[in-house]
Amino acid sequence: DAGVTQSPTHLIKTRGQQVTLRCSPKSGHDTVSWYQQALGQGPQFIFQYYEEEERQRGNFPDRFSGHQFPNYSSELNVNALLLGDSALYLCASSLGRIETQYFGPGTRLLVL
Amino acid sequence: AQSVAQPEDQVNVAEGNPLTVKCTYSVSGNPYLFWYVQYPNRGLQFLLKYITGDNLVKGSYGFEAEFNKSQTSFHLKKPSALVSDSALYFCAVRDRNRDDKIIFGKGTRLHILP
């Protein structure tokens, strides 16, 4: 039973560029949540997708957007990258919006 | 607004001794509470959760946590620490009566000394 997978594992971008991160949920899960974890901090909630719609959103600007596909996989897009966007981006999946979330290994993004 | 506090940045415990990692929370309603562990360069692994019922929750790898409503705490415990327990531990809360966002604490680094 595959757990949550994320790609790529690492990414280096320059300021102003755009990036797309991908997540495949744990088998049987239908809800995907995205988090940003800066160095030395706890994960910060970005948004949650359920039934292909954004259901909840944290305090992140519109530069952060996402998508959920019919197979429940999800993408996180960040436009106009800033140095401060450098972080570990975590995807978590769950069966339903309020059930326990299981995390992927993360994508480490470095913005130069 | 809901919040979580982990008052200790780091906890050092000798192998074989009991360990406690502290967590306090603030929500307007009833909480869902979680503990996760993070190993270097890895995602978070679920340890245990409190939803309702028994205040003592047992989880993975011999960990347990005690929900104390009057003290708004949810401390993580283990009777006998292993060196392999050394990692970063996160407490998280969701307000059962509000939206579904989970709020994480800043984390506590646990060092188990051989």
Side-chain angles (χ1 to χ4, degrees):
Chain A
D1 179 21
V4 180
T5 59
Q6 292 185 244
S7 64
T9 55
H10 295 81
L11 205 51
I12 300 175
K13 292 286 188 178
T14 57
R15 283 178 297 174
Q17 285 189 311
Q18 178 264 343
V19 68
T20 297
L21 310 181
R22 295 176 176 83
C23 172
S24 291
K26 183 177 169 67
S27 178
H29 286 183
D30 58 6
T31 303
V32 173
S33 301
W34 286 92
Y35 294 83
Q36 180 194 69
Q37 185 180 17
L39 201 60
Q41 300 296 317
Q44 299 291 315
F45 175 77
I46 303 175
F47 42 54
Q48 182 184 71
Y49 276 85
Y50 173 71
E51 293 185 337
E52 302 180 48
E53 291 189 13
E54 183 183 294
R55 300 292 181 168
Q56 287 287 335
R57 189 178 183 91
N59 295 324
F60 280 82
D62 292 344
R63 298 187 297 110
F64 290 77
S65 64
H67 189 78
Q68 186 178 36
F69 298 94
N71 67 352
Y72 307 119
S73 67
S74 178
E75 290 182 347
L76 164 65
N77 301 293
V78 187
N79 294 322
L81 284 167
L82 303 174
L83 296 179
D85 295 331
S86 296
L88 180 67
Y89 288 85
L90 296 166
C91 168
S93 75
S94 56
L95 178 58
R97 294 180 58 203
I98 63 172
E99 292 302 319
T100 300
Q101 295 184 1
Y102 292 86
F103 284 78
T107 294
R108 189 164 295 282
L109 172 65
L110 178 61
V111 182
L112 301 176
Chain B
Q2 55 193 13
S3 64
V4 176
Q6 294 182 243
E8 302 153 318
D9 291 335
Q10 182 168 310
V11 172
N12 297 321
V13 177
E15 186 178 23
N17 282 1
L19 68 87
T20 298
V21 182
K22 295 179 181 178
C23 171
T24 59
Y25 67 90
S26 174
V27 297
S28 58
N30 294 313
Y32 290 128
L33 293 157
F34 306 85
W35 276 102
Y36 286 85
V37 60
Q38 186 175 36
Y39 296 97
N41 300 313
R42 301 285 296 276
L44 277 66
Q45 294 180 30
F46 170 73
L47 281 178
L48 52 81
K49 67 180 178 182
Y50 171 81
I51 301 296
T52 187
D54 194 349
N55 290 341
L56 185 63
V57 179
K58 294 188 181 297
S60 305
Y61 314 120
F63 284 94
E64 57 189 28
E66 186 169 10
F67 171 65
N68 188 316
K69 187 173 183 177
S70 63
Q71 297 185 3
T72 61
S73 67
F74 189 57
H75 300 333
L76 181 70
K77 300 180 180 183
K78 187 173 182 180
S80 178
L82 301 173
V83 172
S84 58
D85 293 330
S86 299
L88 189 56
Y89 290 80
F90 290 98
C91 181
V93 66
R94 167 187 280 147
D95 189 330
R96 208 184 304 180
N97 298 331
R98 289 170 56 99
D99 59 42
D100 299 324
K101 289 182 286 188
I102 292 180
I103 303 299
F104 283 83
K106 290 187 175 182
T108 298
R109 188 163 297 282
L110 179 63
H111 284 287
I112 307 302
L113 309 171

